[in-house]
Amino acid sequence: MLRETRRARLAEAPVLAEAVRWFEHSRMLRDFENKHLLANASAEDLRAHRVVISDLIADGEILSWQARQSAVDFSSVGFSIEDIEAETRLLRDNARMFHEPLPLGEAERILEAAFGQSPT
């Protein structure tokens, strides 16, 4: 039911306009991440981020699906369906980064393998 409601909401506006709005909201979320989450993120900021990023990921999936179904040409606004799919993957990566952090030991092993020295 939620999926149908989301799809109906996205269908209210042309896919092109929704995609432009979605990219702008994704940019706004990146600004929020940079200002509020990179250093000393509060529990409230993390909760808000989880809700917004989950919504953007879902909308990105629906937008790319709708665009492929309708063969939407995004060239007039300067991006493509592949750009929507790439941004959706970046949003997923950021969701994992902020909400599923690596255990310290694993992070140290990765840094040591990549740079040849322990961070401590």
Side-chain angles (χ1 to χ4, degrees):
M1 181 159 146
L2 181 60
R3 185 179 314 141
E4 292 304 317
T5 302
R6 182 182 302 279
R7 191 178 300 152
R9 178 174 54 91
L10 288 175
E12 291 173 0
V15 173
L16 201 63
E18 276 301 309
V20 169
R21 179 203 61 81
W22 178 80
F23 268 111
E24 177 60 16
H25 287 181
S26 294
R27 186 200 58 76
M28 291 167 62
L29 181 68
R30 297 233 188 285
D31 290 346
F32 176 84
E33 290 169 346
N34 290 334
K35 291 177 185 170
H36 300 280
L37 300 185
L38 291 179
N40 302 320
S42 72
E44 183 177 334
D45 285 343
L46 284 168
R47 278 191 300 276
H49 181 264
R50 182 185 298 273
V51 169
V52 172
I53 203 165
S54 296
D55 198 44
L56 286 170
I57 291 167
D59 285 353
E61 291 291 345
I62 292 170
L63 282 168
S64 64
W65 177 80
Q66 286 178 324
R68 287 201 183 279
Q69 293 293 314
S70 307
V72 175
D73 178 13
F74 290 108
S75 62
S76 66
V77 291
F79 56 83
S80 66
I81 294 170
E82 291 79 11
D83 294 326
I84 294 171
E85 292 168 342
E87 182 68 19
T88 303
R89 284 190 301 275
L90 290 172
L91 289 167
R92 259 196 218 96
D93 290 344
N94 278 10
R96 280 192 293 273
M97 177 176 69
F98 288 113
H99 303 288
E100 301 170 18
L102 286 175
L104 182 59
E106 186 176 346
E108 287 177 350
R109 283 190 297 280
I110 291 169
L111 288 172
E112 188 169 342
F115 300 107
Q117 60 185 7
S118 176
T120 53

Coordinates of all heavy atoms in Angstrom, one line a residue, residues 26 29-30 32-33 37-38 41 45-58 61 86-102:
S26 N 18.2 15.8 -2.9 CA 19.5 15.0 -2.6 C 20.6 15.9 -2.3 O 21.4 15.7 -1.4 CB 19.8 14.1 -3.8 OG 18.8 13.1 -4.0
L29 N 20.2 17.2 1.1 CA 20.6 16.2 2.1 C 22.1 16.2 2.3 O 22.7 16.1 3.4 CB 20.1 14.9 1.8 CG 20.4 13.8 2.8 CD1 19.7 14.0 4.1 CD2 20.1 12.4 2.2
R30 N 22.9 16.3 1.2 CA 24.4 16.3 1.3 C 24.8 17.5 2.1 O 25.8 17.4 2.9 CB 25.0 16.4 -0.1 CG 24.6 15.2 -1.0 CD 25.8 14.5 -1.5 NE 25.4 13.5 -2.5 CZ 24.9 12.3 -2.1 NH1 24.8 12.0 -0.9 NH2 24.6 11.5 -3.1
F32 N 23.2 18.9 4.5 CA 22.8 18.6 5.9 C 23.9 17.6 6.4 O 24.4 17.8 7.6 CB 21.4 18.0 5.9 CG 21.1 17.5 7.3 CD1 20.5 18.4 8.2 CD2 21.3 16.2 7.7 CE1 20.2 17.9 9.5 CE2 20.9 15.7 8.9 CZ 20.4 16.6 9.9
E33 N 24.3 16.6 5.6 CA 25.3 15.7 6.1 C 26.6 16.4 6.4 O 27.2 16.1 7.5 CB 25.5 14.6 5.0 CG 24.4 13.6 4.8 CD 24.5 12.8 3.6 OE1 25.4 13.1 2.7 OE2 23.8 11.8 3.5
L37 N 26.4 15.9 10.3 CA 26.7 14.5 10.5 C 28.2 14.2 10.5 O 28.6 13.1 11.1 CB 26.0 13.6 9.6 CG 24.4 13.7 9.6 CD1 23.8 12.7 8.6 CD2 23.8 13.6 10.9
L38 N 29.0 15.0 9.9 CA 30.4 14.6 9.8 C 31.2 14.7 11.1 O 32.2 14.0 11.3 CB 31.1 15.4 8.7 CG 30.6 15.1 7.2 CD1 31.3 16.0 6.2 CD2 30.8 13.6 6.9
A41 N 27.6 14.0 15.3 CA 26.2 14.0 14.9 C 25.3 13.6 16.1 O 25.6 12.8 16.9 CB 26.0 12.9 13.8
D45 N 19.6 14.3 14.8 CA 20.0 14.5 13.4 C 20.2 13.2 12.7 O 19.8 13.1 11.5 CB 21.4 15.2 13.4 CG 21.2 16.7 13.7 OD1 20.1 17.2 13.6 OD2 22.3 17.3 14.0
L46 N 20.7 12.1 13.3 CA 20.8 10.8 12.7 C 19.4 10.2 12.4 O 19.2 9.6 11.3 CB 21.6 9.9 13.5 CG 23.1 10.1 13.5 CD1 23.8 9.3 14.6 CD2 23.7 9.8 12.1
R47 N 18.5 10.4 13.3 CA 17.1 9.9 13.1 C 16.5 10.6 11.9 O 15.9 10.0 11.0 CB 16.3 10.0 14.3 CG 16.5 8.9 15.3 CD 15.4 9.0 16.4 NE 15.4 10.2 17.2 CZ 16.1 10.5 18.2 NH1 17.0 9.6 18.7 NH2 16.0 11.6 18.8
A48 N 16.6 11.9 11.9 CA 16.0 12.7 10.8 C 16.7 12.3 9.4 O 16.0 12.1 8.4 CB 16.2 14.2 11.0
H49 N 18.0 12.1 9.5 CA 18.7 11.7 8.3 C 18.2 10.3 7.8 O 18.0 10.2 6.5 CB 20.2 11.7 8.6 CG 21.0 11.3 7.4 ND1 21.5 10.0 7.2 CD2 21.5 12.0 6.3 CE1 22.2 9.9 6.1 NE2 22.2 11.1 5.5
R50 N 18.1 9.4 8.7 CA 17.6 8.0 8.3 C 16.3 8.1 7.6 O 16.1 7.5 6.5 CB 17.5 7.1 9.5 CG 17.1 5.7 9.1 CD 16.9 4.8 10.3 NE 18.1 4.6 11.1 CZ 19.1 3.7 10.9 NH1 18.9 2.9 9.9 NH2 20.1 3.6 11.6
V51 N 15.4 8.9 8.1 CA 14.0 9.0 7.5 C 14.1 9.6 6.1 O 13.6 9.1 5.1 CB 13.1 9.8 8.4 CG1 11.8 10.2 7.6 CG2 12.8 9.1 9.7
V52 N 14.9 10.8 6.0 CA 14.9 11.5 4.7 C 15.7 10.7 3.6 O 15.2 10.6 2.5 CB 15.6 12.9 4.9 CG1 15.8 13.6 3.6 CG2 14.7 13.7 5.8
I53 N 16.8 10.1 4.0 CA 17.6 9.3 3.0 C 16.8 8.1 2.6 O 16.9 7.7 1.4 CB 19.0 9.0 3.5 CG1 19.9 8.8 2.3 CG2 19.0 7.8 4.5 CD1 21.4 8.8 2.7
S54 N 16.1 7.4 3.5 CA 15.3 6.3 3.1 C 14.2 6.7 2.0 O 14.0 6.0 1.0 CB 14.6 5.7 4.3 OG 15.6 5.2 5.2
D55 N 13.6 7.8 2.3 CA 12.6 8.4 1.4 C 13.2 8.7 0.0 O 12.6 8.4 -1.0 CB 11.9 9.6 2.0 CG 10.6 9.9 1.3 OD1 9.8 9.0 1.1 OD2 10.4 11.1 1.1
L56 N 14.4 9.3 0.0 CA 15.0 9.7 -1.3 C 15.4 8.4 -2.0 O 15.3 8.4 -3.3 CB 16.2 10.6 -1.0 CG 15.9 12.0 -0.6 CD1 17.1 12.8 -0.2 CD2 15.2 12.7 -1.8
I57 N 15.9 7.4 -1.3 CA 16.3 6.2 -2.0 C 15.1 5.5 -2.7 O 15.1 5.2 -3.9 CB 17.0 5.2 -1.0 CG1 18.4 5.7 -0.6 CG2 17.1 3.8 -1.6 CD1 19.0 5.0 0.6
A58 N 14.0 5.5 -2.0 CA 12.8 4.9 -2.5 C 12.3 5.7 -3.7 O 11.9 5.1 -4.8 CB 11.7 4.8 -1.4
E61 N 14.4 5.1 -6.8 CA 14.1 3.8 -7.4 C 12.8 3.9 -8.3 O 12.8 3.4 -9.4 CB 13.9 2.7 -6.4 CG 15.2 2.3 -5.7 CD 16.2 1.5 -6.5 OE1 15.8 1.1 -7.6 OE2 17.3 1.4 -6.1
A86 N 22.7 6.3 -10.4 CA 24.0 6.5 -9.7 C 23.8 7.3 -8.4 O 24.4 7.0 -7.4 CB 25.0 7.3 -10.6
E87 N 22.9 8.3 -8.5 CA 22.7 9.1 -7.2 C 22.0 8.2 -6.2 O 22.3 8.3 -5.0 CB 21.8 10.3 -7.6 CG 21.5 11.2 -6.4 CD 22.7 11.9 -5.8 OE1 23.7 12.1 -6.6 OE2 22.6 12.4 -4.7
T88 N 21.1 7.4 -6.6 CA 20.4 6.4 -5.7 C 21.5 5.5 -5.0 O 21.4 5.3 -3.8 CB 19.3 5.6 -6.4 OG1 18.4 6.5 -7.0 CG2 18.6 4.7 -5.5
R89 N 22.4 5.0 -5.8 CA 23.5 4.2 -5.2 C 24.3 5.0 -4.2 O 24.7 4.5 -3.2 CB 24.4 3.6 -6.3 CG 23.8 2.5 -7.1 CD 24.8 1.8 -8.0 NE 25.4 2.7 -9.0 CZ 24.9 2.9 -10.2 NH1 23.7 2.4 -10.5 NH2 25.5 3.7 -11.0
L90 N 24.6 6.3 -4.5 CA 25.4 7.1 -3.6 C 24.6 7.3 -2.3 O 25.1 7.3 -1.2 CB 25.7 8.5 -4.2 CG 26.7 8.4 -5.4 CD1 26.8 9.8 -6.0 CD2 28.1 8.0 -4.8
L91 N 23.3 7.5 -2.5 CA 22.4 7.7 -1.3 C 22.5 6.4 -0.4 O 22.6 6.5 0.8 CB 21.0 8.0 -1.7 CG 20.7 9.4 -2.2 CD1 19.4 9.5 -2.9 CD2 20.9 10.5 -1.2
R92 N 22.4 5.2 -1.1 CA 22.5 4.0 -0.3 C 23.9 3.9 0.4 O 23.9 3.4 1.5 CB 22.3 2.8 -1.3 CG 21.0 2.2 -1.2 CD 21.0 0.8 -1.9 NE 19.7 0.8 -2.6 CZ 19.6 1.0 -3.9 NH1 20.6 1.3 -4.6 NH2 18.4 1.0 -4.4
D93 N 24.9 4.2 -0.3 CA 26.3 4.2 0.3 C 26.3 5.1 1.5 O 26.9 4.8 2.6 CB 27.3 4.6 -0.7 CG 27.6 3.6 -1.8 OD1 27.1 2.4 -1.6 OD2 28.2 3.9 -2.8
N94 N 25.8 6.3 1.4 CA 25.8 7.2 2.5 C 24.9 6.7 3.7 O 25.2 6.9 4.9 CB 25.3 8.6 2.1 CG 26.5 9.4 1.5 OD1 27.5 8.9 1.2 ND2 26.2 10.7 1.3
A95 N 23.8 6.1 3.4 CA 23.0 5.5 4.4 C 23.8 4.5 5.2 O 23.7 4.5 6.4 CB 21.7 4.9 3.8
R96 N 24.5 3.6 4.5 CA 25.3 2.7 5.2 C 26.4 3.3 6.0 O 26.7 2.9 7.1 CB 25.9 1.7 4.2 CG 25.0 0.6 3.8 CD 25.7 -0.5 3.0 NE 26.2 -0.1 1.7 CZ 25.5 -0.1 0.6 NH1 24.3 -0.5 0.6 NH2 26.1 0.3 -0.5
M97 N 27.1 4.4 5.4 CA 28.2 5.0 6.1 C 27.7 5.7 7.4 O 28.4 5.5 8.4 CB 28.8 6.1 5.2 CG 29.9 6.9 5.8 SD 30.6 8.1 4.7 CE 29.3 9.3 4.5
F98 N 26.6 6.3 7.4 CA 26.1 7.0 8.6 C 25.4 6.1 9.6 O 25.3 6.4 10.8 CB 25.3 8.2 8.2 CG 26.0 9.4 7.7 CD1 25.9 9.7 6.3 CD2 27.0 10.1 8.4 CE1 26.6 10.8 5.8 CE2 27.7 11.1 7.9 CZ 27.5 11.4 6.5
H99 N 24.8 5.0 9.1 CA 23.9 4.3 10.0 C 24.3 2.8 10.2 O 23.8 2.1 11.0 CB 22.4 4.3 9.4 CG 21.9 5.7 9.3 ND1 21.6 6.4 10.4 CD2 21.7 6.5 8.2 CE1 21.2 7.6 10.0 NE2 21.3 7.7 8.6
E100 N 25.4 2.4 9.5 CA 25.9 1.0 9.7 C 27.5 1.2 9.6 O 28.1 0.6 8.8 CB 25.5 0.1 8.5 CG 24.0 0.0 8.4 CD 23.5 -0.8 7.2 OE1 24.4 -1.4 6.5 OE2 22.4 -0.6 6.8
P101 N 28.0 1.9 10.6 CA 29.5 2.1 10.6 C 30.3 0.8 10.7 O 29.8 -0.2 11.4 CB 29.7 3.0 11.7 CG 28.6 2.9 12.6 CD 27.4 2.5 11.8
L102 N 31.5 0.8 10.2 CA 32.4 -0.4 10.3 C 32.8 -0.5 11.7 O 33.1 0.5 12.4 CB 33.6 -0.2 9.4 CG 33.5 -0.4 7.9 CD1 34.8 0.0 7.3 CD2 33.1 -1.8 7.6

